[in-house]
Amino acid sequence: MSMISRRQGAPGFLLVVPLLAIMALGFNLPLVMMLGKSLFNEAGITFEYFKQLVEVPAYLRVLGNTFQIALITSLCCVALGYPLAYWLRGLPARWQFIALAAVVIPFWVSILVRTYAWIVVLGNAGIVNRVLLGLGWVDSPVAFLYNELGVVIGTINVLLPFLVLPLFASMLKIDQQLIRAAETLGASSWKAFWRVFFPLSLPALAAGAILVFILTLGFLITPAILGGGRVPMIANMLDLLVNQQPDWELASVISTVLLAATLVLFVMYLRLTAQKDET
Amino acid sequence: MKRRNMFNAAWAVMVLSAGGMSGAVYAQSASAPAEIRIMENGGTSGDSIEQGYIKPFSARTGIKVTRESPTGVGKLQAMVQSGKITATLVELSATDTATANALGLIEPLDWEAINPDPIYPEARQPNAFGWQYSSTLMAWKKGSKAPKTWADFWNVKDFPGKRALPDYPASVLPLALLADGVAPEDLYPLDIDRAFASLEKIKGSVAVWWKAGAQPAQLLEDQEVTYAVAWSGRVVGNPKIDYTYNQGLLQLTYFVVPKGADPAAKAAAMGLLHEASKLDNQVAATRVIPYTGASPGIEKLLPAEVANNFPTTDANKRVQVQPDPRWSAENATMLQRRWQAFKLGL
């Protein structure tokens, strides 16, 4: 079976060659040259720029801060997304369609618009604070925005579909008979979920979480607008180093570190999704 | 022979389009180009270039001017290092101009060809043309207690409320020193340690360090903050916001020519700069955005209540402080590192 499909794939590969060539020459090569700036200068190979990264506490702190926010965002997306996907799975087909549309539609709205919309909703003069103040639940507006909370809320809003959609798809593939079998054998419905369903959905969940983590690492607009300049993330630092400073060598060092971290995570992601397909 | 010409022409078109627009623009290097391209900040400011300077320039010369935005010293560096100069004029802040100058990214202007009308001396640099003044000033929501000095602005006890400050150390540090009692003429070189000590006093009240010029006005209107440092053009004319030019930082934005620009295009661009030195054209530009050009005496052409809004009237220019962009550029890396560390609480 696989032999056949491989043979059929051969002429297809020739058709892909032009695209691959364009990608390699137009995208990958400049990327590698840019990354090269972190290690090479006129004098040859140098570790000076990496030394700068290690020696300046602010850069490391921003990197750490970025990973921390990515972790928080992933965990929140898991906590929100798993029940959502599970609930979607149990819906009748028509409602499933409507609910999925509700998950996907924000995807089509510009990220800039969605981010600014949070100002209208969560700002001091926003809907939520006006309701809270009106009900007398708080004395002064709650600071939802211009801090880490604001950044995390905005990021979750953008990235939740990246976790929910693949997770939902993989949940649909889990054989309902397995859960029935477990229940027939005397497992409570909670136990059947926890011992049978959850382990089967775990690879897709972990893969989704890693995807969200990787995407959060590169967020620029959301921290710029909802962080109020108080939540520095690495993409904003790169913007500064590339466009204003301009210190492309250091920007290249930071990009290299970021790319390496992302690649490690991506390998984990591939392992998890491969495992999922085998089941 | 004919066919070969056609082939050559087709080849040339391919090469030119591959090389960006520069080729098409400078195809006729010998004579005046049909088009020049400039890189600027975009938005309303870009429209003011169009209305004030490009229109009369194109009417006089027949040369089309295409604008692209945004601008930045990073883009300029990319152009110069790659040898593909896609914009003959590039708009840069004063600090960025000094940075570009130190990095050797820009070339001297031909002031004889510009042949400017009278302009302020700081606008006339060997390789930069100052075209637009703005002020970084204090603004507050109408009805709040009005501060008069940066010392007032820093005084969170008598002027309570959250603050929004720029996320730009080169702008904020001089303000911090003025607030701490340093005289304007003694500002530079900036006493960095003293500036950050002064900033620590206000840090707890800063809700937002803003990056985009639209933010302070929006933050004031949304009651996120009571007082903000803002760019003058973003608050002038806003019915909900009051401001003062007193102790504002008077800043000048420049046009520069990237090193290696096509000589014919550069020659044409000098004509555009000439238009930018004319007071009449500058008045037309102020109808689009309340920033002013580099010619003295704009108040003589405008009614007082309008002229008072502008940063370069004699009365307003006198009460403001002029920063030293060269010092900021020379110390940019150190400033950024200290700034990030300060914001992170390191």
Side-chain angles (χ1 to χ4, degrees), chain A residues 112-142:
Chain A
L112 208 57
V113 173
R114 268 187 286 168
T115 304
Y116 271 108
W118 282 114
I119 293 178
V120 180
V121 176
L122 293 180
N124 278 356
I127 300 161
V128 173
N129 266 320
R130 265 186 286 173
V131 169
L132 291 177
L133 288 166
L135 292 172
W137 290 4
V138 293
D139 297 328
S140 58
V142 182

Short mmCIF file of all heavy atoms in Angstrom, two decimals, chain A residues 112-142:
data_model
loop_
_atom_site.label_atom_id
_atom_site.label_comp_id
_atom_site.label_asym_id
_atom_site.label_seq_id
_atom_site.Cartn_x
_atom_site.Cartn_y
_atom_site.Cartn_z
N LEU A 112 -5.73 42.63 14.91
CA LEU A 112 -5.64 43.99 15.43
C LEU A 112 -7.00 44.44 15.98
O LEU A 112 -7.10 45.01 17.06
CB LEU A 112 -5.20 44.91 14.29
CG LEU A 112 -4.44 46.17 14.65
CD1 LEU A 112 -3.20 45.86 15.44
CD2 LEU A 112 -4.06 46.92 13.38
N VAL A 113 -8.03 44.15 15.21
CA VAL A 113 -9.38 44.53 15.62
C VAL A 113 -9.76 43.80 16.91
O VAL A 113 -10.29 44.38 17.86
CB VAL A 113 -10.40 44.20 14.51
CG1 VAL A 113 -11.82 44.43 15.00
CG2 VAL A 113 -10.11 45.03 13.27
N ARG A 114 -9.46 42.49 16.94
CA ARG A 114 -9.81 41.71 18.13
C ARG A 114 -9.07 42.23 19.35
O ARG A 114 -9.62 42.28 20.45
CB ARG A 114 -9.45 40.24 17.90
CG ARG A 114 -10.60 39.45 17.34
CD ARG A 114 -10.26 38.00 17.30
NE ARG A 114 -9.31 37.73 16.22
CZ ARG A 114 -8.66 36.58 16.08
NH1 ARG A 114 -8.82 35.63 16.98
NH2 ARG A 114 -7.85 36.39 15.07
N THR A 115 -7.81 42.61 19.13
CA THR A 115 -7.03 43.09 20.27
C THR A 115 -7.58 44.42 20.79
O THR A 115 -7.74 44.61 21.99
CB THR A 115 -5.55 43.23 19.85
OG1 THR A 115 -5.11 41.98 19.33
CG2 THR A 115 -4.69 43.59 21.02
N TYR A 116 -7.89 45.33 19.86
CA TYR A 116 -8.45 46.62 20.30
C TYR A 116 -9.83 46.43 20.93
O TYR A 116 -10.24 47.18 21.81
CB TYR A 116 -8.52 47.61 19.13
CG TYR A 116 -7.25 48.41 18.99
CD1 TYR A 116 -6.36 48.19 17.96
CD2 TYR A 116 -6.93 49.38 19.94
CE1 TYR A 116 -5.19 48.90 17.86
CE2 TYR A 116 -5.76 50.10 19.85
CZ TYR A 116 -4.89 49.85 18.79
OH TYR A 116 -3.72 50.56 18.70
N ALA A 117 -10.57 45.40 20.45
CA ALA A 117 -11.90 45.16 21.01
C ALA A 117 -11.82 44.90 22.51
O ALA A 117 -12.71 45.29 23.27
CB ALA A 117 -12.55 43.99 20.29
N TRP A 118 -10.73 44.29 22.95
CA TRP A 118 -10.59 44.03 24.38
C TRP A 118 -10.51 45.32 25.18
O TRP A 118 -10.89 45.37 26.35
CB TRP A 118 -9.37 43.16 24.66
CG TRP A 118 -9.61 41.72 24.35
CD1 TRP A 118 -9.02 40.97 23.37
CD2 TRP A 118 -10.54 40.84 25.00
NE1 TRP A 118 -9.52 39.70 23.37
CE2 TRP A 118 -10.46 39.59 24.36
CE3 TRP A 118 -11.45 41.00 26.06
CZ2 TRP A 118 -11.24 38.50 24.75
CZ3 TRP A 118 -12.23 39.91 26.44
CH2 TRP A 118 -12.11 38.69 25.79
N ILE A 119 -10.01 46.38 24.57
CA ILE A 119 -9.96 47.67 25.27
C ILE A 119 -11.38 48.15 25.55
O ILE A 119 -11.69 48.66 26.63
CB ILE A 119 -9.17 48.71 24.43
CG1 ILE A 119 -7.70 48.28 24.35
CG2 ILE A 119 -9.29 50.10 25.04
CD1 ILE A 119 -6.84 49.19 23.52
N VAL A 120 -12.24 47.96 24.55
CA VAL A 120 -13.64 48.37 24.72
C VAL A 120 -14.33 47.51 25.79
O VAL A 120 -15.15 47.99 26.56
CB VAL A 120 -14.39 48.23 23.38
CG1 VAL A 120 -15.84 48.65 23.52
CG2 VAL A 120 -13.70 49.05 22.30
N VAL A 121 -13.95 46.24 25.84
CA VAL A 121 -14.62 45.34 26.77
C VAL A 121 -14.04 45.46 28.18
O VAL A 121 -14.79 45.57 29.16
CB VAL A 121 -14.49 43.88 26.26
CG1 VAL A 121 -15.10 42.91 27.27
CG2 VAL A 121 -15.17 43.73 24.91
N LEU A 122 -12.73 45.47 28.30
CA LEU A 122 -12.10 45.31 29.62
C LEU A 122 -11.45 46.57 30.16
O LEU A 122 -10.93 46.56 31.27
CB LEU A 122 -11.04 44.19 29.55
CG LEU A 122 -11.56 42.78 29.32
CD1 LEU A 122 -10.41 41.79 29.27
CD2 LEU A 122 -12.53 42.38 30.42
N GLY A 123 -11.46 47.67 29.41
CA GLY A 123 -10.83 48.89 29.88
C GLY A 123 -11.51 49.48 31.10
O GLY A 123 -12.57 49.01 31.53
N ASN A 124 -10.91 50.53 31.67
CA ASN A 124 -11.49 51.19 32.85
C ASN A 124 -12.89 51.68 32.57
O ASN A 124 -13.76 51.67 33.43
CB ASN A 124 -10.62 52.37 33.29
CG ASN A 124 -9.45 51.90 34.14
OD1 ASN A 124 -9.34 50.71 34.45
ND2 ASN A 124 -8.59 52.82 34.51
N ALA A 125 -13.10 52.18 31.33
CA ALA A 125 -14.43 52.66 30.95
C ALA A 125 -15.13 51.61 30.11
O ALA A 125 -16.09 51.91 29.40
CB ALA A 125 -14.30 53.97 30.17
N GLY A 126 -14.65 50.37 30.17
CA GLY A 126 -15.20 49.31 29.33
C GLY A 126 -16.48 48.72 29.90
O GLY A 126 -16.91 49.04 31.01
N ILE A 127 -17.06 47.82 29.12
CA ILE A 127 -18.36 47.23 29.48
C ILE A 127 -18.29 46.52 30.83
O ILE A 127 -19.11 46.74 31.72
CB ILE A 127 -18.79 46.23 28.38
CG1 ILE A 127 -18.91 46.95 27.04
CG2 ILE A 127 -20.09 45.56 28.74
CD1 ILE A 127 -18.89 46.02 25.84
N VAL A 128 -17.28 45.66 30.97
CA VAL A 128 -17.21 44.84 32.18
C VAL A 128 -17.06 45.71 33.43
O VAL A 128 -17.76 45.54 34.42
CB VAL A 128 -16.04 43.84 32.07
CG1 VAL A 128 -15.83 43.10 33.38
CG2 VAL A 128 -16.30 42.85 30.94
N ASN A 129 -16.15 46.68 33.38
CA ASN A 129 -15.93 47.51 34.55
C ASN A 129 -17.14 48.38 34.86
O ASN A 129 -17.44 48.63 36.03
CB ASN A 129 -14.68 48.38 34.36
CG ASN A 129 -13.45 47.71 34.96
OD1 ASN A 129 -13.53 47.10 36.03
ND2 ASN A 129 -12.34 47.80 34.26
N ARG A 130 -17.84 48.83 33.82
CA ARG A 130 -19.02 49.65 34.09
C ARG A 130 -20.10 48.81 34.78
O ARG A 130 -20.79 49.29 35.68
CB ARG A 130 -19.55 50.26 32.78
CG ARG A 130 -19.00 51.68 32.57
CD ARG A 130 -19.63 52.34 31.38
NE ARG A 130 -19.10 51.77 30.15
CZ ARG A 130 -19.56 52.06 28.94
NH1 ARG A 130 -20.55 52.89 28.80
NH2 ARG A 130 -19.01 51.52 27.87
N VAL A 131 -20.22 47.55 34.36
CA VAL A 131 -21.20 46.66 35.00
C VAL A 131 -20.81 46.42 36.46
O VAL A 131 -21.62 46.54 37.38
CB VAL A 131 -21.31 45.33 34.23
CG1 VAL A 131 -22.10 44.31 35.03
CG2 VAL A 131 -21.95 45.56 32.87
N LEU A 132 -19.52 46.10 36.66
CA LEU A 132 -19.05 45.81 38.02
C LEU A 132 -19.24 47.02 38.93
O LEU A 132 -19.68 46.89 40.07
CB LEU A 132 -17.57 45.40 37.99
CG LEU A 132 -17.24 44.05 37.36
CD1 LEU A 132 -15.75 43.82 37.34
CD2 LEU A 132 -17.94 42.92 38.11
N LEU A 133 -18.92 48.21 38.41
CA LEU A 133 -19.08 49.43 39.21
C LEU A 133 -20.55 49.71 39.45
O LEU A 133 -20.95 50.08 40.57
CB LEU A 133 -18.44 50.63 38.49
CG LEU A 133 -16.90 50.66 38.45
CD1 LEU A 133 -16.42 51.69 37.44
CD2 LEU A 133 -16.34 50.98 39.83
N GLY A 134 -21.37 49.50 38.41
CA GLY A 134 -22.81 49.75 38.51
C GLY A 134 -23.46 48.85 39.55
O GLY A 134 -24.34 49.27 40.29
N LEU A 135 -23.01 47.60 39.60
CA LEU A 135 -23.57 46.65 40.56
C LEU A 135 -23.01 46.88 41.96
O LEU A 135 -23.48 46.28 42.93
CB LEU A 135 -23.27 45.21 40.12
CG LEU A 135 -23.98 44.74 38.84
CD1 LEU A 135 -23.45 43.38 38.40
CD2 LEU A 135 -25.49 44.67 39.06
N GLY A 136 -21.98 47.74 42.05
CA GLY A 136 -21.39 48.01 43.35
C GLY A 136 -20.49 46.90 43.85
O GLY A 136 -20.19 46.82 45.03
N TRP A 137 -20.08 46.01 42.95
CA TRP A 137 -19.21 44.90 43.36
C TRP A 137 -17.77 45.36 43.59
O TRP A 137 -17.02 44.73 44.31
CB TRP A 137 -19.23 43.78 42.32
CG TRP A 137 -20.54 43.05 42.28
CD1 TRP A 137 -21.66 43.37 43.00
CD2 TRP A 137 -20.89 41.91 41.50
NE1 TRP A 137 -22.68 42.51 42.72
CE2 TRP A 137 -22.24 41.58 41.79
CE3 TRP A 137 -20.20 41.13 40.57
CZ2 TRP A 137 -22.90 40.52 41.20
CZ3 TRP A 137 -20.86 40.08 39.97
CH2 TRP A 137 -22.19 39.77 40.28
N VAL A 138 -17.39 46.42 42.90
CA VAL A 138 -16.04 46.97 43.10
C VAL A 138 -16.16 48.48 43.29
O VAL A 138 -17.14 49.09 42.85
CB VAL A 138 -15.10 46.67 41.90
CG1 VAL A 138 -14.83 45.18 41.78
CG2 VAL A 138 -15.70 47.21 40.61
N ASP A 139 -15.16 49.06 43.96
CA ASP A 139 -15.18 50.51 44.21
C ASP A 139 -14.44 51.26 43.12
O ASP A 139 -14.77 52.41 42.81
CB ASP A 139 -14.53 50.83 45.56
CG ASP A 139 -15.33 50.21 46.70
OD1 ASP A 139 -16.56 50.12 46.54
OD2 ASP A 139 -14.72 49.80 47.69
N SER A 140 -13.41 50.63 42.57
CA SER A 140 -12.67 51.28 41.49
C SER A 140 -12.49 50.25 40.39
O SER A 140 -12.54 49.04 40.66
CB SER A 140 -11.32 51.78 42.00
OG SER A 140 -10.60 50.69 42.53
N PRO A 141 -12.30 50.71 39.16
CA PRO A 141 -12.21 49.76 38.04
C PRO A 141 -11.13 48.70 38.25
O PRO A 141 -10.07 48.99 38.80
CB PRO A 141 -11.85 50.66 36.85
CG PRO A 141 -12.23 52.03 37.25
CD PRO A 141 -12.13 52.09 38.74
N VAL A 142 -11.44 47.49 37.84
CA VAL A 142 -10.47 46.40 37.93
C VAL A 142 -9.47 46.53 36.79
O VAL A 142 -9.86 46.77 35.65
CB VAL A 142 -11.18 45.03 37.86
CG1 VAL A 142 -10.18 43.90 38.01
CG2 VAL A 142 -12.27 44.95 38.93
#
